[in-house]
Structure formats: C-alpha cells, structure tokens
Amino acid sequence: MDSVVIKSLLVLRIAAQSSPPIRRYIEKAVNAMLDEIVAAMTRGDRVELRDFGTFVVKVRKARVGRNPKTGAQVHVPAKVRPAFKPGKEIRKRLNADGQTG
C-alpha cells in the first residue's frame, strides 16, 4: 500500500475508461472540479459529494502557546485547514476490501 495516485495518473486512468480516450478533456474536467472544490472551501462553503464524502474548512482559533525550548509565551495566530470526512459508501467499500491502515 505504498503507491500514490497523483492527479496525472488519475486523469490517465479515467481516460482509459472512455472511448475514445480523450485525455485533455478529462484533464480539464478534473482540474475544473478540483478548482471548484477549492473555491467553494475558500468561500467557507461545505462541499458534499454524495456517497464519496464531504470537504469542509476547520478554523483553529488564535491562542497563546509556549516555546518548548525557552518556555516563553508565543502568540499562535488563527489557522484555517481543510478537512475531509468520508461518506458511508466509501467507508463501506474500503472495509469490504479488507484494507487496513
């Protein structure tokens, strides 16, 4: 389970399923989909793809932390991070295949 599927490989795999394989159109479609997901999350929207999962933005509030080396207080600014919650169908498929993490 050490392999990685990068965007270009994903495009090639999808193109191989189409007849005739039209890689450049599929690449545009994949890029457009990913761009729209990022744009929606940037607006603070939740992106839900039925049976796949949900992309959301999690906000971590600003806080006061400590420098572990000196013990001095440090201001840690607020941060925004993307999060993905898999849908029921994808969890079911992953568990049916007997895959483990």
Side-chain angles (χ1 to χ4, degrees):
M1 191 174 216
D2 290 326
S3 64
V4 175
V5 177
I6 58 174
K7 187 167 61 170
S8 59
L9 180 58
L10 179 65
V11 168
L12 290 174
R13 287 182 178 176
I14 295 170
Q17 296 177 26
S18 64
S19 180
I22 41 180
R23 185 181 159 273
R24 70 175 181 259
Y25 296 121
I26 292 170
E27 186 172 6
K28 285 183 180 182
V30 168
N31 284 333
M33 186 178 88
L34 295 176
D35 289 345
E36 184 52 38
I37 289 171
V38 171
M41 291 177 70
T42 300
R43 291 189 304 267
D45 295 342
R46 172 184 147 142
V47 179
E48 183 177 329
L49 303 174
R50 296 281 176 179
D51 296 330
F52 184 73
T54 305
F55 297 90
V56 294
V57 174
K58 300 260 182 163
V59 179
R60 240 182 127 174
K61 295 179 182 176
R63 61 188 173 85
V64 176
R66 290 198 179 274
N67 180 330
K69 200 171 197 176
T70 64
Q73 288 189 344
V74 180
H75 173 73
V76 180
K79 293 180 183 177
V80 177
R81 68 173 185 84
F84 175 74
K85 180 181 178 188
K88 184 177 179 181
E89 181 64 26
I90 196 170
R91 286 192 313 264
K92 188 172 115 181
R93 285 187 186 189
L94 288 171
N95 288 319
D97 292 343
Q99 306 247 343
T100 58

